[in-house]
Amino acid sequence: MAMNRWLMILALLSLSCTDDTTSEVEKSGTFDWDEVLPGHFPKPKIPADNPMTYEKVELGRHLFYDTRLSGNQTQSCASCHVQENAFSDPRARAVGSTGEVHPRGSMSLANVVYASVLTWGNPLMVELEDQMLVPLFGEDPVELGLGAQEEVLGRLSEDPIYEDLFERAFPGEGITLVTMTKAIGSFQRSLISAGAPYDRYQAGESDALSESEKRGMDLFFSERLECFHCHGGFSLADAVTHEGLVFDEPSFHNNGLYNVDGFGAYPPENGGVFEITGILEDSGRFKAPTLRNIAVTAPYMHDGSLETLDDVIDHYARGGTLTEDGPNAGDGAQNRFKSEFVNGFELSESEREDLLNFLRALTDEEFLNNPAHSDPW
């Protein structure tokens, strides 16, 4: 394993010395959004202190997949954000580098550049560079479990690959926590998913969706089901930001998943926005994630408590989940803080199949297999 790694390093270094190859960075300079965005996507809003370049994205890709970013060198960012699962976690709840099971699952990073708020229930977390510090150094729960920044910076500084990549991305700035988090943020912002059959249909390809998928789309965007109120627009989410938007949309909702005390409470380790604000009405309010690639991001909800898309449809058709026994027993449909859009509905078997087919048509196979987003190691 070690010999193979050094052979790879030598190969990369030899490539970087040739006249027509720039290490692994095939493009250079300012990131061209026109190359990755379809016409129905707005231009993202990028932090002024971290403009996007191809060099930053490539450096960030290396860091994203590098297990040296965890204290015990067993996990990387990609351990909980898996490309084939749209950069989400196939586990119901994330597991940190020390084996600690987290209360929530890892959200998909597809189109995270458009997210006006990050994480399931923190309205204060709005920048990727700031959010990155939580998995790196957070202790409750432990994620990557770094003790101090010197630990990871020392490891990276010993690798000649990073000496080259950091210099290309941040000339003269060196390997620092700031440059590291800016690079990872740039890579995450490059994760654009816009090639699903639904997108091709939006672009005018009338046969990109089957007749069943079109019927399912009509159901999805109907006032009868009301899915689109929380999962609408180009991002199929409502907490979005982009250039030209006057007001960002940080939205959280109580969808009636729990009602453990009969008065609207959620399980104590998963109170939603209430954990930040202390406002009772914020109990159980969580971010509505994008539904892009939803067929490959099971299990569902913040705690992975619904295993399949059928279970999700059952939840919303009933107007909330009934938990009959155990510590979380209660009728979510009766939660007094539940969103006004979660009222229940009836579906025939054929309508259910149409809706499921539409949700499956949100899968972007190119995104799930794009080598530009894959593990460079």
Side-chain angles (χ1 to χ4, degrees):
M1 183 71 72
M3 180 60 70
N4 288 338
R5 174 168 171 72
W6 280 110
L7 288 173
M8 177 190 70
I9 291 174
L10 290 172
L12 288 172
L13 289 175
S14 65
L15 283 174
S16 69
C17 295
T18 62
D19 292 333
D20 57 350
T21 306
T22 307
S23 186
E24 291 193 7
V25 183
E26 296 181 359
K27 299 179 181 179
S28 62
T30 302
F31 191 83
D32 188 356
W33 287 107
D34 291 336
E35 287 193 353
V36 296
L37 296 180
H40 61 290
F41 270 47
K43 191 171 181 179
K45 189 185 296 183
I46 306 299
D49 65 347
N50 191 22
M52 291 275 287
T53 67
Y54 288 105
E55 290 85 354
K56 289 181 185 178
V57 171
E58 185 63 15
L59 169 59
R61 182 166 74 109
H62 280 73
L63 292 166
F64 187 86
Y65 284 96
D66 197 334
T67 58
R68 284 173 288 188
L69 266 65
S70 61
N72 57 15
Q73 303 190 65
T74 62
Q75 284 193 352
S76 67
C77 306
S79 298
C80 294
H81 296 282
V82 183
Q83 182 176 7
E84 66 188 42
N85 300 108
F87 292 94
S88 70
D89 193 341
R91 295 169 295 195
R93 296 189 294 165
V95 178
S97 59
T98 61
E100 183 175 358
V101 179
H102 298 185
R104 300 172 190 172
S106 301
M107 301 182 78
S108 169
L109 295 180
N111 299 332
V112 71
V113 67
Y114 292 108
S116 59
V117 289
L118 307 167
T119 77
W120 284 105
N122 188 346
L124 305 178
M125 193 65 72
V126 298
E127 293 290 352
L128 287 169
E129 290 80 3
D130 295 332
Q131 191 278 330
M132 187 68 225
L133 300 176
V134 176
L136 284 173
F137 302 108
E139 298 179 349
D140 186 22
V142 172
E143 296 182 55
L144 294 175
L146 282 174
Q149 61 177 295
E150 290 77 16
E151 183 177 6
V152 64
L153 298 179
R155 294 172 183 170
L156 301 182
S157 298
E158 295 173 354
D159 192 329
I161 291 178
Y162 278 126
E163 182 179 358
D164 177 61
L165 289 173
F166 270 93
E167 180 59 26
R168 294 180 188 278
F170 301 96
E173 296 186 44
I175 300 176
T176 70
L177 184 62
V178 171
T179 54
M180 185 179 79
T181 55
K182 282 185 175 181
I184 296 173
S186 294
F187 172 67
Q188 291 175 319
R189 292 185 178 101
S190 76
L191 300 176
I192 298 296
S193 178
Y198 171 69
D199 293 297
R200 300 200 302 273
Y201 181 80
Q202 291 291 96
E205 189 178 329
S206 60
D207 60 351
L209 295 180
S210 69
E211 292 306 312
S212 174
E213 290 164 347
K214 291 175 185 177
R215 292 193 299 269
M217 179 180 65
D218 290 339
L219 284 168
F220 182 90
F221 289 104
S222 71
E223 293 290 346
R224 177 181 156 201
L225 268 63
E226 300 193 298
C227 311
F228 71 96
H229 289 292
C230 300
H231 299 285
F234 72 96
S235 189
L236 296 172
D238 63 353
V240 298
T241 185
H242 54 77
E243 284 192 1
L245 193 66
V246 178
F247 299 104
D248 293 346
E249 302 174 356
S251 300
F252 300 89
H253 311 274
N254 180 323
N255 68 353
L257 190 63
Y258 294 106
N259 189 11
V260 299
D261 60 356
F263 294 96
Y266 268 46
E269 75 277 11
N270 265 322
V273 178
F274 172 75
E275 295 178 8
I276 304 299
T277 67
I279 299 173
L280 192 59
E281 288 76 8
D282 284 337
S283 295
R285 292 181 63 214
F286 290 91
K287 177 181 173 180
T290 178
L291 293 192
R292 289 185 169 277
N293 304 291
I294 192 66
V296 300
T297 63
Y300 303 104
M301 304 301 168
H302 62 276
D303 59 354
S305 56
L306 301 183
E307 294 185 3
T308 67
L309 284 175
D310 267 308
D311 293 337
V312 174
I313 292 176
D314 287 342
H315 163 81
Y316 285 109
R318 187 181 179 278
T321 289
L322 174 63
T323 303
E324 295 185 347
D325 50 39
N328 298 330
D331 188 352
Q334 302 302 315
N335 191 304
R336 59 175 174 162
F337 303 126
K338 188 181 67 170
S339 168
E340 62 182 322
F341 298 119
V342 184
N343 297 311
F345 50 79
E346 293 185 1
L347 285 177
S348 67
E349 285 303 311
S350 62
E351 287 177 325
R352 174 183 285 261
E353 189 60 30
D354 290 340
L355 181 59
L356 285 168
N357 285 337
F358 170 67
L359 294 175
R360 295 175 186 128
L362 302 178
T363 302
D364 181 353
E365 293 292 343
E366 182 179 354
F367 174 70
L368 303 181
N369 297 282
N370 189 340
H373 303 329
S374 65
D375 187 349
W377 297 106

